[in-house]
Amino acid sequence: VYLLFQALRQISQRTISTASRRQVENKVLEGQKIFQEDNGLPVHLKGGAKDAVLYRTTAGLATLGTMYAVYYLLVASMPKQPN
């Protein structure tokens, strides 16, 4: 039991990955320049075309969902027709 414990302790002290670590480039400063630039755009659209598509899709889905909910509230508020 002691030998098993000692072997497990040695394994746990080793690094798990044998691959060398890559140097990751820090892109925070580039992002700060883009988002702090005074170009008249709101922050949620400064990321480019992808942000614009996501914004318009979200706004469209929210509008459709609101219209759907209002329609069914109107339908539910009407008296039931007798057969």
Side-chain angles (χ1 to χ4, degrees):
V1 174
Y2 178 75
L3 292 175
L4 178 63
F5 178 72
Q6 190 175 11
L8 287 174
R9 186 172 51 170
Q10 284 179 348
I11 291 172
S12 67
Q13 289 176 350
R14 293 184 200 161
T15 58
I16 294 173
S17 175
T18 58
S20 64
R21 292 186 180 180
R22 291 187 304 160
Q23 211 46 13
V24 178
E25 184 181 340
N26 189 355
K27 297 181 182 180
V28 173
L29 291 177
E30 296 171 17
Q32 285 178 341
K33 287 178 187 175
I34 292 170
F35 286 100
Q36 289 178 355
E37 183 180 338
D38 188 18
N39 56 5
L41 288 174
V43 173
H44 60 274
L45 294 177
K46 285 191 177 188
K50 186 171 75 170
D51 281 351
V53 168
L54 286 172
Y55 172 73
R56 289 187 181 123
T57 302
T58 304
L61 287 172
T63 302
L64 288 173
T66 302
M67 291 172 30
Y68 183 76
V70 168
Y71 171 75
Y72 275 100
L73 282 172
L74 289 172
V75 167
S77 68
M78 299 294 172
K80 203 171 190 181
Q81 296 291 332
N83 289 337

